[in-house]
Amino acid sequence: MTGQRHATMVAAATLALTLTPLIGIFEGVGWTVPVLLTITVIATCGSLMRAAGRGQGLQTAAMCAGLLVVLTAGFGDGTAFLFVIPLPATFEHFGYLANDGIAGIVTNAPPVAAEGGILFLTLLGIGLVAILHDMFVVGLRTPALAGLTLLTMYLVPVSVAPDATAWFWFILPAVSYLWLLADDNLRRVSAFGHRFTGAGQLVSQRFPSPMARTARWSALGFIVITLLALTVVPTNTSGFIDRVAEDFEGGGDAGLGDVNPWAQLSGSLNQPEEIDVLRVSTDDPNPRYLRMHVLDELTSDGFGPNDYEEGGSLGDLSAEGSEVYTAEIENLALRAPVLPVYGNPAGVEVDGDWAVDDDTGVIIGDGSDMGDVDSYSFTFTDEAPDAAELAAAAGMDPGDERWEDNTSRPDVPEMSDIVERELGGASTVHEKVLAVLDYLSVSNGFRYSLQTTDAGNDEAILDFLATQEGYCQQYAAAMAWMLREADVAARVVIGMAQGERDGTEWILTSHDYHAWVEVYYEGPGWVTYDPTPVGGVPGAVSFPWATEPPPEDEPTQDPGATADPSADPSEAPSTAAPDPTGGVETPTGGPTAQAGDGGSGGGSGFDPAWLLLLPLAALPFVPALWRGLLRRSRLHPARITATTAWDEALDLALDYGVGIPDSLTPRQAAGVLAQAAPDAREAAAALGAAMARHRYSTQPADPAGLGDAVRDLHSELDKRAEPRRRYRAMFWPASLLATLTAKQAEESARLARRSARATDRVRAAVRRPRRSNNRKDRSVTGRP
């Protein structure tokens, strides 16, 4: 194996080891097949071009072509010519897959299924990095720069999956990088020539050096001392990796950066498999929504939460309401830096350090996370305001210090026009709220769907209002934005819907993540509204105050009335709106629909059928493999003789275009080989002498050293050959063709001889006897 081919294999192996953190990104290990195949194809293309003596430019082009073939064969969806040659329709399909992959990255939470656009983008990114990695390690001989490619492949999964930050996943990239440096250093030192010990003894290139042994023991001692020091010396490990781990695991400060609430919401709703997240036991017969995040900062990109600030402690909470409920929550799978609670918490019992944000009322972790909490309990009040009270209430005073944070909005003229048109006749806060709810209703053409559409506007909220299609994220953001445009204090809340009753408990799953709106009224304070059609949210709750107040002469039902807690759950009043088939559209792209079709569109997966083309792609390498196996068989230490070594030397001469007539003796033929490979003169002479002894002496030739002589001759012939000759010798050896031709000629001659003998036997069998002139009765002429 030449140095470049060895370096190619090392580069591919180190890159493959660095990809192990992807285990935390994808479900299962099926993704390893296309990923490893992509790396192998790219490495093979680069190695072939280097074997042909081509420069770095052509090597890079060949590797890019190999990547394109892999993507076309795996994701072409029948648009390519012969499954591997891309056409314009293929690139259009690639664009669709890229958009689908980007949308999947934004909406899905790991682990995700390795299919469709996400797998396409993964192979594309890995392929490009593999090309750069091969160029740094093999082409440019700068393995130190390969650390950038290894770091890139490590940080991508680390940045999206908390499990990828485990120490074990960092060890593998580090070992890979050290492997690259050590291998390159060994190859450089090997180029210096023969190695000798201090006593002058000749040793192989890989003979262990005393200095290397000392260096290894020194490095091991340094690592042990460092680990011991870290166990007793307090250190600050707030490096980048630790920050990434804290951000995604919910540790550290309770700023917005801990978990993106929108990503957690959309990712959970788009997961095909429904996962139980919380188990709730409460004496509230009809609990509403669990409150988690409050988003009150509005920019042109939409709503986002301000940085939560540590405020009062949990001991400062108090009950303000007519009835206090108790809830006990068991955490099944939730990881978040906030504590989900109902209504207005009056007291909380939870392990860890938690505080209450003064502006939003969100309970945030001060170094604690829900991932560390198995269960907790709290008391709460959940007031139900009267519609008439809300109709008479004013909004937030502009002089309030919270006014700017809860009414600011970007200048979007199109939004101002919509609000002016739809809310122009509303004067009170409640009238404006009801006008927005009516505008976003199903009766006005809006429908629930997890698949949003781009209408070509600069702001995503305008796309939603134009297409009238979206899910709770778009509904809540649109309502809060429109109310702010009408000078009404409003904000978005993210949490979990009611869930599904299981006996006396409630089960909240990953599909129960939800977003709604809180509007401020003077007196009642922040009041909850849900503009999303209840048919799109399995655990949705209707709010009786989101209606016009009835006339004074009509009796009203107490909105705060609840069912008897002791009543049978099946007889409890329903909090959901009428059946979706009775006027509310059902979701067209919800989790249930996605689970039915596997969570991905048809035709965009990685089609395994193209793997059938691999045998066809391997055909060009069959002669090289055959030739290599033949050489290994001839030079095997248990089978090598002067004859097998000489046969290999003659075949090498034929492969590299060295003409040796059959009339030459072994010593004369060795002289021809020595002229073609001057640096292997001694090896050629040894082979010729061994063959001459075998032919002309009664004593057999000693095979010791003949294998090394053949290898030296091969290396020298390969080094001195022209690139085209070297390429042909490797992938289409002339000796193999000559052997096949000779065998075919011998077989043809054997068949010809057999045919001739058969013909002679047939002729002998049918031959008539010849007439003679010597006859008793008369001559041949019949004359007497």
Side-chain angles (χ1 to χ4, degrees):
M1 181 183 297
T2 64
Q4 287 187 335
R5 274 180 283 173
H6 175 78
T8 301
M9 294 185 61
V10 172
T14 53
L15 185 63
L17 286 177
T18 310
L19 296 175
T20 47
L22 289 177
I23 294 175
I25 301 295
F26 295 116
E27 296 177 352
V29 294
W31 56 271
T32 57
V33 175
V35 166
L36 295 180
L37 181 61
T38 301
I39 296 175
T40 302
V41 169
I42 291 174
T44 303
C45 292
S47 180
L48 291 179
M49 295 306 295
R50 282 187 287 270
R54 299 298 182 253
Q56 183 60 49
L58 290 179
Q59 295 174 27
T60 304
M63 289 186 287
C64 292
L67 174 60
L68 182 60
V69 167
V70 171
L71 296 178
T72 303
F75 299 93
D77 197 26
T79 61
F81 179 68
L82 297 178
F83 298 101
V84 294
I85 302 177
L87 300 176
T90 307
F91 293 102
E92 293 180 4
H93 187 64
F94 285 171
Y96 163 76
L97 287 175
N99 292 332
D100 180 68
I102 294 174
I105 293 173
V106 173
T107 59
N108 292 323
V112 299
E115 58 188 6
I118 293 181
L119 182 59
F120 172 79
L121 291 180
T122 300
L123 294 187
L124 177 61
I126 291 175
L128 294 177
V129 172
I131 293 173
L132 292 176
H133 191 65
D134 184 275
M135 181 177 64
F136 289 150
V137 176
V138 188
L140 302 180
R141 291 292 299 274
T142 55
L145 292 179
L148 298 177
T149 56
L150 296 179
L151 183 63
T152 300
M153 297 312 302
Y154 172 72
L155 289 181
V156 169
V158 163
S159 62
V160 296
D163 294 338
T165 59
W167 66 270
F168 178 76
W169 301 131
F170 181 74
I171 291 295
L172 291 178
V175 171
S176 300
Y177 186 56
L178 294 177
W179 183 10
L180 282 177
L181 297 179
D183 183 76
D184 181 74
N185 181 72
L186 181 61
R187 287 191 292 124
R188 292 180 184 272
V189 171
S190 299
F192 295 160
H194 296 291
R195 291 182 56 201
F196 295 89
T197 63
Q201 181 182 359
L202 177 65
V203 295
S204 65
Q205 299 290 349
R206 298 184 178 275
F207 185 80
S209 170
M211 295 184 63
R213 187 182 301 110
T214 303
R216 285 194 294 268
W217 281 108
S218 300
L220 179 61
F222 176 78
I223 294 174
V224 171
I225 293 175
T226 302
L227 294 177
L228 291 176
L230 290 176
T231 60
V232 296
V233 178
T235 59
N236 178 18
T237 59
S238 58
F240 176 76
I241 301 300
D242 300 290
R243 291 175 184 270
V244 171
E246 290 178 357
D247 285 345
F248 281 89
E249 294 180 3
D253 298 334
L256 165 62
D258 295 326
V259 170
N260 187 327
W262 287 131
Q264 187 178 35
L265 170 71
S266 58
S268 300
L269 293 180
N270 280 278
Q271 279 188 336
E273 182 180 357
E274 191 173 15
I275 301 174
D276 293 344
V277 177
L278 298 175
R279 183 185 300 273
V280 180
S281 176
T282 177
D283 54 6
D284 185 350
N286 289 297
R288 297 192 177 101
Y289 293 159
L290 273 176
R291 198 167 177 267
M292 295 175 61
H293 296 277
V294 173
L295 286 66
D296 54 7
E297 182 177 354
L298 177 58
T299 65
S300 59
D301 295 328
F303 277 89
N306 289 314
D307 291 340
Y308 296 134
E309 298 179 359
E310 296 182 9
S313 65
L314 298 181
D316 298 334
L317 297 173
S318 60
E320 295 181 1
S322 57
E323 187 171 3
V324 179
Y325 300 102
T326 301
E328 296 181 359
I329 297 182
E330 179 185 358
N331 185 14
L332 303 178
L334 179 63
R335 301 180 66 88
V338 297
L339 196 73
V341 292
Y342 289 117
N344 300 310
V348 179
E349 295 183 5
V350 60
D351 295 333
D353 296 328
W354 300 83
V356 182
D357 181 68
D358 294 332
D359 294 334
T360 62
V362 174
I363 299 179
I364 56 177
D366 182 12
S368 298
D369 181 84
M370 277 296 297
D372 304 324
V373 176
D374 295 329
S375 63
Y376 63 99
S377 61
F378 60 94
T379 56
F380 66 97
T381 61
D382 200 358
E383 295 298 322
D386 183 70
E389 178 186 4
L390 297 179
M396 182 180 289
D397 185 356
D400 194 313
E401 61 180 6
R402 299 170 295 176
W403 171 263
E404 183 65 25
D405 292 337
N406 292 281
T407 58
S408 62
R409 66 272 186 186
D411 183 16
V412 180
E414 296 86 349
M415 178 64 78
S416 301
D417 295 340
I418 295 175
V419 172
E420 179 64 25
R421 182 178 70 249
E422 301 296 335
L423 279 68
S427 57
T428 66
V429 172
H430 199 56
E431 289 178 351
K432 295 177 181 179
V433 170
L434 296 181
V436 173
L437 290 175
D438 183 66
Y439 172 69
L440 298 176
S441 65
V442 174
S443 60
N444 194 37
F446 282 83
R447 56 191 292 268
Y448 184 94
S449 174
L450 286 175
Q451 306 299 326
T452 58
T453 305
D454 186 1
N457 296 294
D458 294 335
E459 283 77 22
I461 195 66
L462 297 179
D463 290 338
F464 167 67
L465 297 179
T467 61
Q468 298 184 324
E469 189 177 76
Y471 57 102
C472 58
Q473 175 178 349
Q474 287 77 32
Y475 278 97
M479 178 178 180
W481 193 331
M482 294 178 69
L483 290 175
R484 288 193 176 196
E485 195 70 39
D487 293 327
V488 175
R491 61 193 186 186
V492 175
V493 182
I494 294 179
M496 304 192 74
Q498 187 183 61
E500 182 179 355
R501 183 185 285 273
D502 180 19
T504 59
E505 299 177 330
W506 296 87
I507 301 299
L508 280 64
T509 71
S510 55
H511 290 172
D512 289 320
Y513 279 94
H514 193 42
W516 60 92
V517 177
E518 288 183 349
V519 180
Y520 187 84
Y521 292 85
E522 184 178 355
W526 292 101
V527 178
T528 300
Y529 290 94
D530 188 0
T532 307
V534 293
V537 183
V541 173
S542 62
F543 299 93
W545 55 83
T547 58
E548 291 281 358
E552 296 182 359
D553 56 348
E554 292 186 8
T556 60
Q557 180 181 359
D558 182 10
T562 58
D564 184 5
S566 62
D568 188 278
S570 62
E571 300 176 359
S574 174
T575 59
D579 185 82
T581 59
V584 180
E585 291 195 36
T586 57
T588 60
T592 304
Q594 287 192 355
D597 61 6
S600 62
S604 60
F606 188 84
D607 188 2
W610 71 272
L611 294 174
L612 298 175
L613 297 176
L614 284 181
L616 183 62
L619 285 179
F621 305 97
V622 171
L625 179 62
W626 192 348
R627 183 70 178 88
L629 293 177
L630 179 60
R631 180 183 300 116
R632 177 174 297 183
S633 176
R634 286 172 170 173
L635 303 183
H636 192 277
R639 293 189 294 271
I640 188 172
T641 62
T643 302
T644 58
W646 184 249
D647 290 342
E648 179 62 26
L650 294 180
D651 283 351
L652 288 175
L654 189 58
D655 292 340
Y656 288 95
V658 180
I660 300 180
D662 295 337
S663 59
L664 297 182
T665 65
R667 295 186 185 275
Q668 291 173 336
V672 176
L673 290 174
Q675 291 180 357
D679 291 345
R681 186 180 301 274
E682 295 180 0
L687 292 170
M691 189 59 190
R693 184 180 182 87
H694 173 75
R695 285 186 180 179
Y696 310 123
S697 175
T698 57
Q699 299 295 329
D702 186 8
L706 296 182
D708 293 336
V710 173
R711 296 185 186 93
D712 292 343
L713 178 63
H714 184 194
S715 178
E716 182 64 18
L717 289 174
D718 186 78
K719 183 173 63 175
R720 291 183 173 274
E722 296 181 354
R724 178 176 298 181
R725 174 64 67 179
R726 186 185 306 119
Y727 184 86
R728 291 183 58 184
M730 178 182 300
F731 295 102
W732 195 247
S735 61
L736 190 61
L737 180 61
T739 302
L740 295 177
T741 304
K743 288 183 178 180
Q744 185 177 5
E746 182 180 353
E747 182 66 20
S748 299
R750 187 177 62 84
L751 291 176
R753 291 192 298 269
R754 180 181 297 178
S755 177
R757 288 195 297 267
T759 302
D760 292 341
R761 286 196 297 267
V762 171
R763 287 178 179 178
V766 300
R767 182 181 301 162
R768 295 176 62 185
R770 298 182 62 182
R771 301 177 66 181
S772 172
N773 288 332
N774 250 341
R775 310 205 69 177
K776 293 182 179 179
D777 299 336
R778 55 183 178 178
S779 64
V780 176
T781 60
R783 295 174 182 178

